[in-house]
Amino acid sequence: MRIGFIGLGRMGANMVRRLIRDGHEIVVYNRTPEKTREIAGEGAIASFSIEEMVGMLEGPRAVWIMVPAGDATEAQIAELMEHLQPGDTIIDGGNTNFHDDQRRHPDLKGKGINYVDAGVSGGIWGLQVGYCLMVGGDKDAVDPLLPIFTTLAPPNGYMHVGGPGAGHYVKMVHNGIEYGLMQAYAEGFEIMHASDYDLDLGSISELWMQGSVVRSWLLELAGRAADGVILGTGFDLLVYDWAKQKIRAGSAQAGRKESDVAVIAAGMLCVRDDGNEARKIVRNRIANRAHHNFRFTYETVPPEELDGVKKFMAGFDVMKPMEDRVDPDLVNDYLVHRFSIAGTPKECIERIEELNAAGVEHLMLTAARKVYHESVEIFATKVIPHIRK
């Protein structure tokens, strides 16, 4: 088949690679043209605008969107609708809230456009082992896409689970089970780590993969020694020290040096000439990250901030659209400071140098989407050149 594909992140690019290797013709578009050129060198067909991509497809067209759920997906659908024709199909492969699918389906169907929602699991390993696909939508829209689904999935790894929204609904439950499994494993290994026995936790995880009823892909990953750890727990120095203690203990258990494991602190970035404006922008964007951190424990929250964090968690509604899940007033200054680097160039320089002085050597920063290009430009021109090495 020939289809369009929007979004060439790590997962999207590997999905395109898997499709190309099975003989499909994939017309790709990505917001940053460098990734488009890169994947075109591996056999994809490059396009540099949505209009160009649609023009390179013959009707009835199919376009797969693989970008972050929420505003980014809505923007791609809106632009696609300026160019698609009745009978064409949009496939949303992101982690979209199924309520959004239920809203989009009748709206697009009324304009003659088919809408299919696809929950995708497999991560960066899907290129080799395939992607588990949970697909929702009308049968007459889903069936023509079967060659794409069967290429992406391993044997028996694809299922049309139900009508519009069903794919993302099943994926939502899947993700909840995944998080529960990870928490159960974490608690189990923590209990063993705290015992009086000198246990080799890595070897035990490998042992449990051999016939045990608790064996799983997640457990297999737990048995692999990491070369790096990405901390989504925030930039607060107390949290960083807490995480380093955990990594130090884990390295010792695995017989590795702590210096063998790179520690990368991850969070959001917003740089503006008006620091208050930067913090206001980021306040609405860090809610999901903060909620995910505090779902299972408040261990890393200072006592004086605990009441505010608990109010934030109580007011967070994961079933609502992303932008409406929590009152922004509940995202207090502590959360903004912990999960972002936001402010004027001078404030950001001081914050990064403070982190660096405390031993934080690697940062993974995601610029706020609302002012993405401006933040990246200001960061590159007014922050990076002034950070002391």
Side-chain angles (χ1 to χ4, degrees):
M1 286 186 67
R2 173 180 279 221
I3 69 167
F5 200 101
I6 300 173
L8 299 174
R10 295 181 69 184
M11 195 165 176
N14 277 345
M15 291 172 69
V16 169
R17 291 183 178 102
R18 189 170 172 92
L19 290 167
I20 291 171
R21 292 176 185 180
D22 201 36
H24 297 283
E25 296 180 348
I26 311 300
V27 182
V28 296
Y29 166 73
N30 195 73
R31 182 180 53 79
T32 54
E34 293 78 13
K35 289 187 177 181
T36 301
R37 296 187 182 97
E38 177 183 344
I39 202 74
E42 300 178 40
I45 302 168
S47 66
F48 297 95
S49 70
I50 286 181
E51 181 179 10
E52 182 183 9
M53 179 196 66
V54 172
M56 299 171 76
L57 301 171
E58 295 182 0
R61 304 167 184 83
V63 179
W64 190 302
I65 300 175
M66 202 69 187
V67 302
D71 295 344
T73 299
E74 295 286 358
Q76 300 299 332
I77 291 175
E79 189 169 354
L80 272 173
M81 290 301 294
E82 297 176 6
H83 306 288
L84 295 181
Q85 298 176 357
D88 294 344
T89 300
I90 293 174
I91 309 112
D92 177 8
N95 276 326
T96 289
N97 187 313
F98 71 96
H99 290 112
D100 289 339
D101 297 319
Q102 294 173 337
R103 168 179 54 80
R104 291 172 187 162
H105 176 266
D107 180 50
L108 297 182
K109 189 171 184 178
K111 299 172 182 176
I113 305 298
N114 299 313
Y115 179 80
V116 173
D117 54 285
V120 183
S121 180
I124 60 174
W125 303 275
L127 176 61
Q128 285 75 36
V129 302
Y131 300 89
C132 177
L133 300 179
M134 299 145 269
V135 177
D138 297 329
K139 189 175 186 299
D140 57 355
V142 171
D143 283 354
L145 301 170
L146 189 60
I148 296 297
F149 296 144
T150 53
T151 288
L152 288 172
N156 302 314
Y158 152 76
M159 183 176 180
H160 182 193
V161 296
H168 284 145
Y169 180 83
V170 172
K171 179 59 165 38
M172 175 189 70
V173 176
H174 162 285
N175 286 356
I177 294 171
E178 176 187 353
Y179 301 149
L181 283 171
M182 289 192 291
Q183 181 67 15
Y185 286 139
E187 291 183 4
F189 281 109
E190 179 65 21
I191 290 170
M192 289 190 289
H193 172 64
S195 74
D196 294 331
Y197 298 101
D198 184 18
L199 301 175
D200 184 338
L201 302 184
S203 295
I204 290 172
S205 67
E206 294 291 344
L207 169 69
W208 285 351
M209 286 301 299
Q210 315 309 316
S212 167
V213 295
V214 300
R215 65 186 182 273
S216 74
W217 173 237
L218 291 173
L219 182 61
E220 182 178 334
L221 294 177
R224 300 180 181 183
D227 293 319
V229 177
I230 298 175
L231 300 179
T233 49
F235 299 119
D236 186 278
L237 293 180
L238 292 176
V239 177
Y240 183 77
D241 289 341
W242 169 84
K244 287 285 285 184
Q245 291 174 13
K246 301 289 186 183
I247 293 167
R248 189 177 301 118
S251 299
Q253 285 283 340
R256 308 180 73 199
K257 298 178 181 178
E258 182 184 350
S259 59
D260 290 341
V261 182
V263 181
I264 305 163
M268 188 153 287
L269 170 73
C270 189
V271 192
R272 309 290 286 170
D273 291 328
D274 184 335
N276 289 328
E277 179 190 3
R279 287 180 282 274
K280 180 179 179 181
I281 290 170
V282 84
R283 194 176 298 273
N284 290 325
R285 307 304 306 177
I286 63 170
N288 284 282
R289 183 186 296 268
H291 177 262
H292 183 72
N293 267 265
F294 300 129
R295 288 181 66 202
F296 302 111
T297 180
Y298 295 124
E299 181 181 353
T300 60
V301 181
E304 65 272 18
E305 301 292 351
L306 189 56
D307 185 57
V309 171
K310 287 184 176 180
K311 287 180 180 178
F312 162 78
M313 291 298 287
F316 192 98
D317 187 349
V318 73
M319 298 304 293
K320 288 185 177 180
M322 187 173 295
E323 62 274 13
D324 299 325
R325 289 179 179 175
V326 70
D327 183 343
D329 289 339
L330 293 177
V331 185
N332 60 26
D333 292 343
Y334 166 73
L335 297 176
V336 172
H337 185 266
R338 174 166 170 170
F339 293 103
S340 71
I341 295 176
T344 65
K346 183 176 183 293
E347 289 172 329
C348 292
I349 291 168
E350 291 173 350
R351 184 82 191 283
I352 292 170
E353 290 185 341
E354 176 191 26
L355 293 169
N356 186 254
V360 182
E361 297 180 351
H362 306 283
L363 296 175
M364 179 181 290
L365 302 174
T366 303
R369 189 177 298 118
K370 183 177 180 181
V371 289
Y372 181 90
H373 294 289
E374 298 96 317
S375 276
V376 171
E377 182 177 358
I378 296 173
F379 187 73
T381 58
K382 296 184 179 181
V383 177
I384 291 178
H386 302 285
I387 295 174
R388 291 189 293 269
K389 303 300 182 184

